[in-house]
Amino acid sequence: MKKLWGGRFTKSAEEWVDEFGASISFDQELVLEDIEGSIAHVTMLSKSNIITEEDAKQIKDGLLQLKGKAEQGQLDYQVKLEDIHLNLESFLTELVGPVGGKLHTARSRNDQVATDMHLFLRKQVHVIIELIEEMQQALVAQAEENVETVMPGYTHLQRAQPISFAHHLMAYFWMLQRDKERFEESVKRINISPLGAGALAGTTFPIDRHLTAELLEFGGIYENSLDAVSDRDFILEFLSDSSILMMHLSRLSEEFILWSSQEFKFIELDDSFATGSSIMPQKKNPDMAELIRGKTGRVYGNLMGLLTVLKGLPLAYNKDMQEDKEGMFDTVKTVTGSLKIFAGMIKTMTVNKNQMDKATKSDFSNATELADYLSDKGIPFRQAHEIVGKLVLTCVQQGCFLVDLPLDEYKKANPLFEEDIYTVLDPVTAVKRRNSAGGTGFAQVLAAIEKAKTIIQK
């Protein structure tokens, strides 16, 4: 098969060399974007009187036929034709004849592929934003059901203070909100047109880059042709935003994995998001959460891979940049899949409220309440902290909890303790009283949920 760029060459590469250099195995993912960009380009060529309206119509009709075939999976891509651009140009020429060759006037594969990736990512980022919102809605729905569900809060994975389970879930809502805002802000850098930059230096043809940008609904054009074809910052930013998002999902995965264990039993994941063991009949494994936790590493790897590819490249285009696509495609697939799975897990999980409540009554997570109690009565907090620390030590030595100590023992530690100390020690009371802005108090959690609903509905 004759190469479309082969005029200068006297010798063909061996088949295995062609296979190594070809990108069609993965960049066929860009087929619809490539056709969309080509339709805009040929429209501009006609309006700029670079080709005739008749030729432009013939080419557009051919491109629309190819679009239909692509959507039906009826295009047979050839490795010999290297990439999606040359494959489509070959198909087009078969359909409309030599006039198809006019499509590439005033264009290079360098600005063509960059345009394709801008179009692809713009679409995918909007999909990801919608999926983040779906997961946020699932979190809010579970939070509404569990405002007064009290659980141990942890630091260092040690029980620290009792908190509302809804408050814990809503922490992830706000993480996701930052993720969503990062993706939204990235769109303005994705939504720039490189089309018309040519290979690196622009073109001698009287093209209208602003027209193609308008036809493709871009917000503007790259102001420098070298930058237009060599920029992959928009992909790096997407991979970075995705890495932060996956880190958040991985942290929640870890909590779901712990909470669904026999040791915690705080939640039970729906059967549709768990698997069994091939040897142990009793097992119910949180495999989807574990898989998301594991897939976080591949997204990090895609970011580091592209950073490494780009770090030493001179301007403008280099073949190294062919390595920009697979990681981008993989990350889109990984992120969208993970968000869909997580929304489903959250919607369908069972919250074991009694188990959480029981856990808050068999620990010392209410110790801070005692210190605050004494502080309210005028004892300096550091002194109050020491008094309570000694009471905890007494409990540890006696094998009991703070609520089990008789009032005499409290009076011995400090005469300011009164009978109401047992109300203060109640985990529900402890949570309810933490009503500072953004705190775990029930009133604050309800206010946060209402604010979150307003954000989602915008």
Side-chain angles (χ1 to χ4, degrees):
M1 185 177 289
K2 183 181 177 183
K3 300 283 189 183
L4 295 182
W5 44 259
R8 179 249 186 271
F9 288 76
T10 59
K11 187 177 179 181
S12 298
E14 292 188 42
E15 185 176 343
W16 66 270
V17 175
D18 279 337
E19 288 176 357
F20 183 80
S23 59
I24 189 58
S25 63
F26 50 86
D27 71 10
Q28 59 186 266
E29 184 86 22
L30 297 170
V31 59
L32 295 179
E33 286 76 17
D34 202 72
I35 293 170
E36 183 182 357
S38 291
I39 290 172
H41 182 66
V42 76
T43 300
M44 180 276 297
L45 291 177
S46 171
K47 288 185 179 294
S48 300
N49 297 315
I50 296 170
I51 66 173
T52 66
E53 285 186 27
E54 183 182 346
D55 286 348
K57 183 180 184 308
Q58 207 173 342
I59 291 169
K60 271 196 271 190
D61 288 345
L63 288 169
L64 290 171
Q65 287 183 57
L66 291 177
K67 181 182 180 183
K69 289 185 176 183
E71 290 171 338
Q72 297 298 317
Q74 294 174 350
L75 295 178
D76 184 18
Y77 302 109
Q78 302 294 315
V79 170
K80 276 284 186 182
L81 290 171
E82 302 174 29
D83 55 34
I84 189 61
H85 323 299
L86 297 186
N87 268 271
L88 283 174
E89 187 173 332
S90 178
F91 295 146
L92 180 64
T93 304
E94 287 177 17
L95 279 175
V96 303
V99 71
K102 293 187 178 183
L103 172 61
H104 207 56
T105 306
R107 187 175 71 170
S108 163
R109 283 186 294 174
N110 295 357
D111 61 333
Q112 188 178 355
V113 71
T115 302
D116 292 355
M117 289 189 292
H118 279 272
L119 291 170
F120 175 84
L121 261 194
R122 183 177 66 186
K123 179 171 63 180
Q124 297 301 327
V125 164
H126 285 302
V127 170
I128 288 169
I129 289 168
E130 289 175 4
L131 290 173
I132 290 174
E133 289 177 344
E134 185 180 338
M135 184 173 166
Q136 286 181 303
Q137 288 167 350
L139 285 167
V140 167
Q142 275 288 8
E144 280 193 293
E145 296 294 319
N146 289 282
V147 173
E148 297 191 17
T149 301
V150 177
M151 67 175 290
Y154 295 82
T155 63
H156 307 274
L157 208 53
Q158 304 295 314
R159 293 185 189 180
Q161 293 176 314
I163 62 170
S164 160
F165 182 54
H167 189 57
H168 196 125
L169 291 177
M170 289 303 293
Y172 285 96
F173 175 93
W174 297 110
M175 290 183 209
L176 289 172
Q177 183 61 23
R178 294 193 296 274
D179 291 324
K180 185 171 72 174
E181 289 170 3
R182 271 185 284 269
F183 281 111
E184 287 171 340
E185 289 159 6
S186 75
V187 171
K188 66 183 177 184
R189 286 173 288 280
I190 295 170
N191 200 32
I192 307 173
S193 175
L195 193 56
L200 76 161
T203 177
T204 58
F205 290 95
I207 62 172
D208 186 345
R209 290 188 62 205
H210 292 282
L211 175 58
T212 50
E214 183 182 336
L215 291 170
L216 293 169
E217 299 182 356
F218 282 120
I221 66 170
Y222 278 88
E223 299 295 339
N224 183 288
S225 60
L226 283 166
D227 185 38
V229 297
S230 63
D231 174 39
R232 296 297 184 269
D233 293 358
F234 67 103
I235 302 178
L236 287 172
E237 186 173 1
F238 165 72
L239 295 175
S240 176
D241 293 346
S242 297
S243 294
I244 297 171
L245 168 61
M246 289 300 295
M247 178 268 291
H248 290 150
L249 298 186
S250 184
R251 293 181 75 175
L252 186 53
S253 293
E254 175 69 8
E255 304 218 82
F256 275 22
I257 292 161
L258 286 172
W259 292 344
S260 61
S261 69
Q262 197 71 17
E263 286 69 27
F264 280 77
K265 291 192 275 190
F266 287 175
I267 65 169
E268 182 176 354
L269 297 176
D270 190 80
D271 286 358
S272 56
F273 296 102
T275 64
S277 164
S278 63
I279 187 173
M280 296 166 283
Q282 83 283 6
K283 292 294 294 298
K284 182 176 180 179
N285 300 324
D287 275 12
M288 294 304 104
E290 291 174 350
L291 197 54
I292 290 169
R293 185 177 60 182
K295 284 180 178 291
T296 300
R298 71 190 294 152
V299 175
Y300 291 179
N302 291 334
L303 171 61
M304 293 308 299
L306 185 55
L307 282 168
T308 305
V309 166
L310 295 171
K311 76 176 186 64
L313 292 187
L315 297 177
Y317 183 83
N318 301 271
K319 186 69 167 177
D320 314 48
M321 294 167 79
Q322 184 169 292
E323 291 297 303
D324 59 3
K325 297 171 196 63
E326 286 179 282
M328 178 182 70
F329 297 147
D330 180 72
T331 296
V332 166
K333 182 179 178 182
T334 300
V335 168
T336 53
S338 298
L339 287 167
K340 287 175 185 175
I341 290 286
F342 239 122
M345 283 198 296
I346 294 166
K347 288 174 186 175
T348 59
M349 72 180 182
T350 301
V351 179
N352 298 325
K353 299 183 181 186
N354 291 337
Q355 184 67 20
M356 289 185 182
D357 181 64
K358 180 180 174 184
T360 63
K361 292 174 179 173
S362 58
D363 61 18
F364 296 100
S365 63
N366 51 3
T368 305
E369 309 312 308
L370 289 185
D372 289 348
Y373 178 92
L374 291 175
S375 292
D376 285 343
K377 292 179 177 288
I379 303 291
F381 183 80
R382 283 299 165 212
Q383 186 181 339
H385 186 287
E386 183 177 359
I387 292 168
V388 175
K390 288 178 179 177
L391 285 168
V392 170
L393 178 59
T394 299
C395 288
V396 171
Q397 291 171 340
Q398 294 182 11
C400 65
F401 297 105
L402 289 167
V403 72
D404 302 317
L405 285 178
L407 185 59
D408 288 347
E409 197 74 44
Y410 280 106
K411 290 282 192 183
K412 194 187 304 180
N414 191 287
L416 293 175
F417 282 118
E418 301 291 345
E419 187 72 37
D420 64 347
I421 192 62
Y422 296 104
T423 302
V424 171
L425 285 170
D426 179 65
V428 173
T429 303
V431 175
K432 190 183 296 184
R433 291 177 67 237
R434 297 197 172 277
N435 221 16
S436 56
T440 190
F442 301 144
Q444 285 296 320
V445 174
L446 283 168
I449 289 171
E450 290 307 310
K451 186 173 183 179
K453 284 181 179 178
T454 303
I455 289 171
I456 293 173
Q457 288 165 3
K458 282 183 180 177

